[in-house]
Amino acid sequence: MSGQIERAITADIAIIGGGLGGVAAALAALRRGHRVTLSEEYSWLGGQLTSQAVPPDEHIWVEQFGITASYRALREGIRQYYRDFYPLTNAARKNPQLNPGLGRVSQLCHEPTVAVAAITQLLAPYCSSGLLTVLQPYVPVTAKVSGDNVDSITLRNVRTGNEVVVNAPLVLDATETGDLLPLTGTEYIVGSESRGQTGEPSAPETADPSNVQSIAWCFVFDHVDGDHTIERPDDYEHWLELAPSFWGGPMLSFTAPNPRTLEPEERTLHVNSSVGDDHADGDPRFDPGDQDLWEFRRIVARQNFLPGSFPSDIVLANWPSLDYLGGSVIDTPDRDFHLAQAKAQSRAYFYWLQTEAPRPDGGHGWPGLRLRGDVVGTDDGFAQAPYIRESRRIVAVTTVVEQDVSVVARGDAGPARFPNSVGVGMYRIDLHPSTGGDNYLDIECAPFEIPLGALVPVRTRNLIPAAKNIGTTHITNGAYRLHPVEWNIGESAGELASYCLEQSMTPRDVLSDPGLVRQFQTRLVEVGVEIHWPEIVGY
């Protein structure tokens, strides 16, 4: 049902979706002086870093190289916010590589609210100047298309139902699941491709559009005195009985497959454990850091702050037992059902932690565990949005396949290069258990680059993907989906849109001319986008 049209907005560039890719794309276009309209479904900009509440998954060289200058500025803005406003110890305040949560997943584990503040600071000058218009909370509902050109996007306010029409010569899809692709008729792929389609050694024999990586509905919690046990969920028995054949036990447990060996293994939860001297020494090539779930994604560590500042550490739960395998949320009439089920699974898991989980002292349950909705900006204690690992993906001029980046498939651990690279990234090919019943897929990956051709649809002329919807496969998306890579994709997409506006060209025009590609790459390098890796060995 259509809502009332509030207004029409004309911009130079329309960016639909305000996750990390959307924010990076907006900053890139704004610093070139272009008028940008940026829309976002949730209350916070930043996507997986904020509304989804997941601290950044990054490679081991992140403090030295392998990210863009603007992503480095975001990371430094997060650290500076803690230095400016939090009661840090002297040692923590002086640490140039401050890790507020001392979590093992990243060298920068932090609260999502602080990332929101850092993003707000980056965008503030452009909001004040009028170059940037931010529309929240809006989702795309229709598109006007003429031939191979997207003319306008209609957005709907998810609270009021009123609609806004955005007109722009360049349109960027930075939504979490590639929502503009079906609306604009842009060719796309969803789910897993067959081996015959991609030639990938790890691809299945048969394609399955409904087979995507699991989503997870994350939550944040701490542990304090008192009984904070939530009401027993009505469907708790259902989740207690859920035990996928490959899991090694029920999902409401500390048992889960090791992503690399696929053998079930036991994890631990040491509540408010002290942080050892080796906390910063974890190398994800050999230690994923997930053996103790309290330490894994801790976002506030008390020892970084003056005594008495925090009654407890604060932890983000994004664990295997939260992975929802019940169905895809893409291209299905059951999307709302699956979203509700994903949150229900996480709620049941938290109740299990409070009441039944085995403690190291031999007891069961921690009733002192407390949901921290204030940290994630919700009333119920769960993140505003589900953690989305996989999107629709454009049918691109260039599709990155497993053979391009896998160390085994390439026979080489050196950097995986593309001559028209527009950025770099690094992560293992890390696929979580899927809605098609697949176990983990974990493949050693070389440091890789982002080919310009992966940002260019085969047909649509003025739409550019700016998030997890570029030309990857179900398998390679597992490496290209993480925080710094999504930011780099978005930043390069914003720069590409700006360059096309200034040259009166399409993205395909740029890609087709080696001279223009080199000129565009020079622009990227000048603003701090690394387009090639140094000679290093991958993991």
Side-chain angles (χ1 to χ4, degrees):
M1 182 176 178
S2 298
Q4 179 180 349
I5 299 295
E6 293 177 351
R7 54 181 167 148
I9 298 175
T10 299
D12 296 325
I13 299 170
I15 303 172
I16 311 304
L20 285 177
V23 170
L27 285 168
L30 291 164
R31 69 188 174 208
R32 298 290 182 183
H34 299 299
R35 292 172 301 149
V36 172
T37 295
L38 172 66
S39 70
E40 167 55 27
E41 178 177 0
Y42 296 98
S43 298
W44 291 347
L45 297 174
Q48 58 180 320
L49 192 64
T50 59
S51 61
Q52 298 173 35
V54 179
D57 292 283
E58 299 171 332
H59 57 74
I60 60 173
W61 307 289
V62 66
E63 303 292 351
Q64 290 80 40
F65 51 82
I67 58 175
T68 76
S70 65
Y71 184 77
R72 193 172 299 283
L74 171 66
R75 297 177 86 253
E76 181 54 31
I78 290 168
R79 285 174 167 152
Q80 193 60 43
Y81 192 92
Y82 280 98
R83 297 185 186 108
D84 289 344
F85 299 110
Y86 278 67
L88 294 169
T89 65
N90 286 335
R93 189 177 304 281
K94 293 177 181 178
N95 184 356
Q97 296 182 8
L98 170 66
N99 188 346
L102 294 175
R104 294 178 64 87
V105 72
S106 171
Q107 297 177 59
L108 181 61
C109 291
H110 56 83
E111 299 156 274
T113 47
V114 177
V116 174
I119 288 170
T120 300
Q121 288 180 314
L122 290 172
L123 293 175
Y126 304 107
C127 291
S128 296
S129 70
L131 276 180
L132 175 62
T133 299
V134 180
L135 299 175
Q136 290 173 281
Y138 281 83
V139 295
V141 288
T142 60
K144 182 180 178 182
V145 178
S146 299
D148 297 338
N149 208 68
V150 180
D151 298 328
S152 66
I153 303 294
T154 298
L155 305 167
R156 180 174 297 158
N157 188 304
V158 299
R159 295 174 186 157
T160 68
N162 290 343
E163 297 179 348
V164 173
V165 177
V166 181
N167 303 277
L170 272 298
V171 176
L172 275 59
D173 184 347
T175 60
E176 295 297 322
T177 51
D179 297 340
L180 288 191
L181 305 183
L183 292 180
T184 60
T186 299
E187 291 80 2
Y188 69 90
I189 294 174
V190 65
S192 57
E193 298 92 341
S194 70
R195 191 174 305 164
Q197 288 174 289
T198 66
E200 294 173 305
S202 302
E205 291 297 329
T206 304
D208 184 355
S210 67
N211 186 28
V212 300
Q213 284 200 70
S214 54
I215 66 171
W217 211 300
C218 302
F219 56 86
V220 170
F221 65 98
D222 61 8
H223 184 274
V224 293
D225 292 337
D227 187 345
H228 301 278
T229 306
I230 64 174
E231 184 177 349
R232 179 186 174 96
D234 292 338
D235 58 356
Y236 185 59
E237 291 297 328
H238 164 73
W239 298 109
L240 272 178
E241 296 171 0
L242 182 63
S245 60
F246 57 82
W247 203 259
M251 290 195 76
L252 297 197
S253 70
F254 289 144
T255 301
N258 180 305
R260 302 183 189 181
T261 68
L262 303 185
E263 293 297 321
E265 63 182 18
E266 293 293 319
R267 291 167 172 81
T268 59
L269 183 71
H270 289 92
V271 171
N272 279 319
S273 56
S274 60
V275 180
D277 293 337
D278 65 344
H279 74 273
D281 296 333
D283 187 329
R285 290 175 293 185
F286 314 108
D287 175 15
D290 63 350
Q291 290 305 297
D292 188 83
L293 298 176
W294 187 272
E295 295 182 1
F296 184 35
R297 294 183 183 270
R298 178 175 42 209
I299 56 176
V300 168
R302 291 173 300 164
Q303 73 183 63
N304 269 331
F305 303 88
L306 296 177
S309 299
F310 288 89
S312 169
D313 296 343
I314 302 176
V315 176
L316 181 279
N318 176 25
W319 301 338
S321 292
L322 307 188
D323 286 358
Y324 174 70
L325 309 178
S328 171
V329 297
I330 303 175
D331 289 350
T332 172
D334 298 325
R335 179 178 184 272
D336 290 344
F337 170 78
H338 291 309
L339 289 174
Q341 286 292 97
K343 182 180 282 191
Q345 179 175 329
S346 294
R347 184 180 294 109
Y349 191 76
F350 185 68
Y351 181 78
W352 178 83
L353 287 174
Q354 292 180 308
T355 59
E356 297 191 50
R359 300 196 310 258
D361 64 5
H364 290 83
W366 287 272
L369 294 180
R370 176 179 62 166
L371 286 170
R372 292 295 303 274
D374 54 319
V375 176
V376 292
T378 65
D379 293 332
D380 66 2
F382 294 85
Q384 296 174 26
Y387 179 38
I388 301 292
R389 296 186 174 99
E390 188 169 336
S391 172
R392 299 175 181 90
R393 306 176 298 277
I394 65 165
V395 177
V397 174
T398 302
T399 299
V400 181
V401 294
E402 181 182 355
Q403 304 91 296
D404 291 324
V405 297
S406 162
V407 171
V408 171
R410 297 171 69 244
D412 182 4
R417 301 191 185 280
F418 293 95
N420 58 14
S421 171
V422 294
V424 299
M426 178 58 193
Y427 208 71
R428 296 181 72 90
I429 294 178
D430 171 28
L431 272 66
H432 280 237
S434 72
T435 56
D438 296 333
N439 202 340
Y440 284 96
L441 180 66
D442 187 279
I443 299 171
E444 184 180 11
C445 199
F448 53 79
E449 298 173 353
I450 304 164
L452 176 59
L455 274 63
V456 180
V458 292
R459 184 184 55 81
T460 309
R461 293 169 53 83
N462 68 329
L463 183 144
I464 304 172
K468 295 184 286 290
N469 52 351
I470 65 169
T472 58
T473 65
H474 169 70
I475 290 174
T476 55
N477 164 74
Y480 278 73
R481 64 182 176 84
L482 286 308
H483 301 65
V485 187
E486 182 183 349
W487 182 278
N488 194 152
I489 290 167
E491 183 168 0
S492 296
E495 284 286 349
L496 179 60
S498 299
Y499 185 64
C500 288
L501 277 177
E502 294 161 16
Q503 303 295 324
S504 299
M505 294 179 178
T506 69
R508 188 64 177 268
D509 293 333
V510 178
L511 178 63
S512 301
D513 186 326
L516 293 176
V517 170
R518 289 191 294 271
Q519 189 177 86
F520 178 59
Q521 289 176 315
T522 298
R523 282 170 58 109
L524 292 175
V525 172
E526 288 173 349
V527 296
V529 176
E530 299 178 23
I531 62 172
H532 294 301
W533 283 96
E535 288 295 336
I536 54 177
V537 176
Y539 66 45

